[in-house]
Amino acid sequence: KDVQKEREPHVYLSKEEVKEKIQSYNSSVTDKLKMTLNANGIYTGFIKVQMELCRPITVQSSQSQGRCAPSSTETAFYLPDGCVNTLHISSTNTVREVIEALLKKFFVADNPAKFALYKRCHKEDQVYTCKLSDREHPLYLRLVAGPKTEMLSFVLREHETGEVMWEAFSIPELQNFLRILDKEENDQLQILKNRYAAYRGKLEEALRGVLKPG
């Protein structure tokens, strides 16, 4: 169930309260992804983000030199469903910074503004998915909810804008989309041809049996 962003007040914790919550958090961790409190009060830790992308992403080769690289070094493809990535972040990192870091980590050339981060949580035996604002801090949400992803998980999606805003895509991205559509069309056409060829073969075999002398 998708709902609008809930206006939950951000509770500012004291350094001692943060320390206690981190100790409690680390005592419950089962995957060794613990949090660390620094002397300046900033803490660091890990979040896991599930990728739920409907459209293909554009990925640069590791040899590319930023966004000025030739389009030949970019490839567009659909990300497999259920792909989960782990990021090491700090308590000061915002949602927007997390999205940018996630895309940079995997050489995604798409504009970060095309994406949004959602939180998925369980309440009263129902699952709710809420869009996070750009200024929220994911690691704080992780700390408050605890390490169990059943209680809270993060999901990266495209912005839900209804119609696709094709003008937001670059020419190389649009060209890659066309190549993907051409390939899918050719694949479906070949499947259709194979199906009819098999059907034709069975009909011809049946006709030979009927017309066989004697």
Side-chain angles (χ1 to χ4, degrees), residues 2 114 116 118 131 157-162:
D2 288 0
K114 298 176 185 177
Y118 292 75
K131 180 181 175 182
R157 293 178 177 175
E158 294 97 347
H159 269 298
E160 296 179 354
T161 56

Side-chain angles (χ1 to χ4, degrees), residues 27-166:
S27 65
S28 303
V29 166
T30 58
D31 54 11
K32 298 182 180 180
L33 300 181
K34 297 185 177 182
M35 292 194 187
T36 302
L37 178 61
N38 300 316
N40 58 5
I42 296 174
Y43 51 97
T44 59
F46 299 85
I47 62 169
K48 294 181 179 180
V49 181
Q50 184 170 347
M51 316 289 275
E52 292 185 355
L53 305 179
C54 300
R55 296 190 290 273
I57 58 172
T58 304
V59 177
Q60 296 176 336
S61 66
S62 58
Q63 290 79 23
S64 301
Q65 299 297 319
R67 296 185 181 276
C68 296
S71 60
S72 59
T73 62
E74 297 181 348
T75 304
F77 65 93
Y78 286 96
L79 206 62
D81 291 336
C83 179
V84 177
N85 293 297
T86 302
L87 282 180
H88 184 252
I89 62 174
S90 80
S91 56
T92 62
N93 288 133
T94 63
V95 164
R96 180 52 47 189
E97 290 172 335
V98 166
I99 293 174
E100 292 173 353
L102 185 63
L103 299 181
K104 183 178 179 180
K105 179 179 179 181
F106 297 96
F107 303 101
V108 177
D110 298 81
N111 189 337
K114 298 176 185 177
F115 304 92
L117 193 67
Y118 292 75
K119 69 174 182 179
R120 181 176 290 156
C121 53
H122 289 75
K123 288 184 179 180
E124 299 177 355
D125 298 327
Q126 293 191 28
V127 179
Y128 293 87
T129 303
C130 309
K131 180 181 175 182
L132 298 173
S133 67
D134 286 349
R135 294 185 178 181
E136 290 193 77
H137 299 86
L139 195 61
Y140 167 80
L141 298 176
R142 179 79 279 160
L143 175 64
V144 172
K148 294 183 179 180
T149 54
E150 295 83 1
M151 299 302 298
L152 173 72
S153 59
F154 296 104
V155 180
L156 184 72
R157 293 178 177 175
E158 294 97 347
H159 269 298
E160 296 179 354
T161 56
E163 293 294 328
V164 178
M165 301 176 63
W166 295 112

Side-chain angles (χ1 to χ4, degrees), residues 193-212:
K193 287 181 177 179
N194 292 340
R195 184 185 304 167
Y196 277 94
Y199 185 56
R200 183 181 295 108
K202 292 180 179 179
L203 286 175
E204 291 174 349
E205 183 180 353
L207 284 172
R208 286 194 297 269
V210 171
L211 298 176
K212 186 176 180 181

